[in-house]
Amino acid sequence: MSEPAPLHELLARVVAPVAAPPPAAWRFPLGTMQALNQRLAERPSLNFVNATLRGIGQVIFANNPVSGLIILVAMFVQSPWLGLMSLVGVISATAMAMAMRLAPDAIQNGVFGLNGLLVGAAMGFAGRAGNGPWNPVWIAAAVLLSALATVVMHTLGTWFVTRLKAAPLGVAFNAVMLVFFLVVVFVPQTLFDLGPSPAPFPAESIDGLRLARSLPAGLGQVFFSDGVIPLLLIVVAVGICTPIGLVVALLGCAISLVAGLSLGARPGEMYLGLWGYNAVLSATAIGGVFYAPNWRSITLGSICAFLASAGSIVLARWLAPLPVLSIPFTIVTVGCFWVVRRTIPSLVPVALHAVASPEEHRQRHAVASEVISQFRRALTAASRHEQRVSLFDQAPSVEKHELRRVFDAIDHDHSGELSPAEIEGHLASAGISGAELALMLECLDVDRDGLISFEEFGELLLRHRRLMSRYDQFFTYFMPIDADGDDVISIDEMNNAMRSVGERPLSSAETEQLQRRAQGQPLTWDRFIQVLLLT
């Protein structure tokens, strides 16, 4: 018969968060494959390849090296010149970020490389009818401008994040390329020939079947591709990373067709998806990347997709002969962040440092919804003086037996109750941090009699375990609720959290109960965790 586990091991097992199942070696969808980033962090050469491929996928918010590789193949299939210029651009931008010693995580996740990819691809596309194809001057310019895009991204990125609370979506690419085209078109020079202006699309009647078949074309135009095979490869690349992202992107394509029909765009333009790529990017950004995908964010993303597509059509007439680039996407999406933050605070954005795949955001939203809804039910019960649901009462007998063994071992005087001093050392030996220890000791004595009963001890340990098992996801979701950044959750911000998961605002009785549980102190994050455990 094996000896019983030491007390500290038993206690650690009781309070340890429920472990998530180990990730499978191959799963679908692939998501952002952050485990690969961790494995390659100490392997510079492979990590550079990883960062480069992620930069390609990040153009359409697919932070995945496999997706990036498939998209690169698609661009080479579309045109070897386009593929070469795109590769030159993303490598140059990534290398410049490393040379500047910018944030390693941002570099590794392709945040700087995506602007280089777009710069290289835009130059490859623009120069193909002139003296661009295989011209070393164009290649050298792509290297310089892609590196410059990294500098602009770094310079403007901080301002966008701190002042506008938004990612600098496409700003670096648009700024660099707009200046380049202004110089090439309006300044006399002989280095860069864009060739003759393309002939306008002929006026013709709409072919409904052809229009339906061209629905996903806007997705290919994100990467300057209009071939069938490149388009299929791009669809696969996005789908293996984020199926939700692919669905939202295709919704953006459909909405771009509606915008084109509404504004009288020429059929040939719509067949090629020329007004769809900005709609695709806007729909994806709002409908699943910077907000968790739900009916509200997808509806808002659809509105932004229409505005971005309409903006593309209008700007194309105003800017000619300059290209539209992704200016409509940048203006509409950043403007959407600004408006939503001021008018719909209950639509909680994803914390910028935690932007991942729509599937991960949806999972965080589900966890936050469960925790907040449980808290709401408990708060309502407390305000009505009803008995709260007890985890201890519902715990299986095996767990209660382990809790009893721990309790009895700590209860040295066998009084049937513990003083905080009796359990302090044991909780610390179980690996609970000093801050968690202080919080748990305050929470354990629920009836404030200075002693801790077995039921109080078991209930709080089980509540602590349940909350900590989802702490990271809940905390990451909840961070942007503190909109004013004062580290205190106001009642208005709490109500925004409630609305964000479909709950009604707190009633006056529930608000009073919440303030009572906070003991009249500001509801800081630690105090909120305490309230969650006590309620």
Side-chain angles (χ1 to χ4, degrees):
M1 182 176 179
S2 60
E3 295 187 7
L7 176 60
H8 70 278
E9 292 184 10
L10 184 59
L11 183 56
R13 186 165 71 238
V14 169
V15 300
V18 179
W26 177 267
R27 63 186 180 88
F28 181 81
L30 296 179
T32 59
M33 297 179 67
Q34 291 302 305
L36 179 64
N37 277 354
Q38 297 171 9
R39 289 197 295 268
L40 297 181
E42 303 302 324
R43 305 178 69 178
S45 298
L46 290 177
N47 200 27
F48 182 81
V49 174
N50 172 53
T52 299
L53 294 176
R54 287 180 183 273
I56 297 171
Q58 279 279 32
V59 171
I60 199 166
F61 309 108
N63 178 12
N64 184 291
V66 178
S67 298
L69 178 60
I70 295 173
I71 292 170
L72 182 62
V73 170
M75 297 183 82
F76 269 100
V77 171
Q78 175 69 29
S79 163
W81 168 246
L82 177 67
L84 173 65
M85 291 290 280
S86 301
L87 186 58
V88 165
V90 69
I91 289 175
S92 301
T94 304
M96 185 64 177
M98 290 182 170
M100 294 174 65
R101 300 184 182 277
L102 301 181
D105 285 347
I107 296 173
Q108 191 178 46
N109 284 294
V111 172
F112 296 100
L114 72 92
N115 285 290
L117 182 285
L118 287 171
V119 168
M123 294 190 68
F125 181 83
R128 64 180 182 177
N131 65 336
W134 314 111
N135 187 317
V137 173
W138 281 81
I139 296 174
V143 171
L144 294 175
L145 293 180
S146 298
L148 178 60
T150 292
V151 177
V152 174
M153 173 75 170
H154 174 61
T155 304
L156 292 180
T158 303
W159 186 85
F160 265 77
V161 171
T162 57
R163 299 295 297 275
L164 298 180
K165 300 294 189 295
L169 301 171
V171 171
F173 160 65
N174 287 310
V176 168
M177 291 310 301
L178 194 56
V179 171
F180 171 77
F181 284 119
L182 283 170
V183 171
V184 169
V185 172
F186 296 110
V187 177
Q189 51 83 35
T190 59
L191 291 176
F192 302 100
D193 179 10
L194 298 178
S197 298
F201 285 87
E204 56 180 316
S205 58
I206 294 288
D207 183 333
L209 181 60
R210 188 177 176 187
L211 189 67
R213 287 201 303 263
S214 68
L215 185 145
L219 196 58
Q221 289 292 353
V222 172
F223 297 95
F224 301 87
S225 300
D226 57 11
V228 174
I229 294 178
L231 175 58
L232 291 176
L233 289 172
I234 292 168
V235 168
V236 170
V238 177
I240 64 172
C241 175
T242 165
I244 294 176
L246 176 60
V247 171
V248 175
L250 292 174
L251 176 62
C253 289
I255 291 171
S256 73
L257 297 181
V258 175
L261 292 172
S262 301
L263 273 70
R266 293 177 181 269
E269 298 168 340
M270 291 190 288
Y271 298 153
L272 288 178
L274 295 183
W275 312 131
Y277 65 91
N278 280 299
V280 166
L281 295 174
S282 296
T284 307
I286 301 299
V289 175
F290 294 99
Y291 294 94
N294 53 54
W295 71 268
R296 289 200 301 170
S297 63
I298 292 175
T299 299
L300 186 61
S302 300
I303 295 171
C304 290
F306 183 91
L307 294 176
S309 184
S312 300
I313 297 169
V314 173
L315 275 181
R317 299 166 183 168
W318 289 353
L319 288 179
L322 299 176
V324 172
L325 303 174
S326 62
I327 295 173
F329 157 65
T330 299
I331 293 174
V332 168
T333 307
V334 174
C336 177
F337 292 147
W338 189 87
V339 171
V340 168
R341 192 167 64 251
R342 287 161 176 78
T343 59
I344 319 176
S346 61
L347 187 57
V348 180
V350 176
L352 291 179
H353 76 275
V355 170
S357 69
E359 284 75 12
E360 291 176 64
H361 301 330
R362 185 171 178 81
Q363 177 62 28
R364 287 190 197 129
H365 182 273
V367 167
S369 178
E370 182 183 357
V371 172
I372 293 174
S373 297
Q374 288 173 347
F375 169 64
R376 175 58 178 276
R377 289 194 296 271
L379 197 63
T380 301
S383 69
R384 296 173 179 173
H385 307 289
E386 298 173 354
Q387 186 175 6
R388 66 177 181 175
V389 176
S390 170
L391 293 182
F392 179 81
D393 291 341
Q394 297 177 344
S397 57
V398 174
E399 282 189 347
K400 288 183 178 179
H401 178 67
E402 287 192 338
L403 287 167
R404 172 58 75 177
R405 286 176 57 194
V406 173
F407 184 88
D408 289 344
I410 297 174
D411 184 17
H412 298 297
D413 59 5
H414 305 291
S415 65
E417 292 181 311
L418 305 177
S419 67
E422 280 184 298
I423 67 172
E424 184 172 351
H426 294 292
L427 288 176
S429 68
I432 297 176
S433 69
E436 286 183 314
L437 177 59
L439 181 60
M440 285 193 67
L441 288 175
E442 187 176 355
C443 291
L444 280 169
D445 186 16
V446 177
D447 56 15
R448 296 293 184 265
D449 63 354
L451 296 173
I452 299 163
S453 68
F454 173 52
E455 289 75 14
E456 289 173 337
F457 179 80
E459 179 68 19
L460 264 295
L461 259 60
L462 292 175
R463 284 173 177 265
H464 177 273
R465 182 179 68 179
R466 183 180 69 176
L467 183 60
M468 292 303 108
S469 67
R470 299 169 293 180
Y471 180 83
D472 287 342
Q473 290 176 309
F474 178 66
F475 177 71
T476 301
Y477 174 85
F478 210 88
M479 279 179 62
I481 292 290
D482 182 19
D484 55 12
D486 63 354
D487 296 323
V488 174
I489 303 168
S490 67
I491 296 301
D492 286 342
E493 289 169 341
M494 179 62 71
N495 283 330
N496 287 333
M498 293 290 173
R499 293 188 188 96
S500 75
V501 295
E503 294 281 344
R504 67 185 186 281
L506 297 175
S507 66
S508 58
E510 291 165 341
T511 300
E512 182 180 347
Q513 188 66 222
L514 175 62
Q515 292 171 336
R516 183 181 298 118
R517 294 301 172 104
Q519 300 176 353
Q521 300 182 38
L523 200 62
T524 61
W525 181 253
D526 286 343
R527 181 63 59 180
F528 180 51
I529 294 297
Q530 178 188 3
V531 171
L532 283 176
L533 290 170
L534 283 174
T535 305

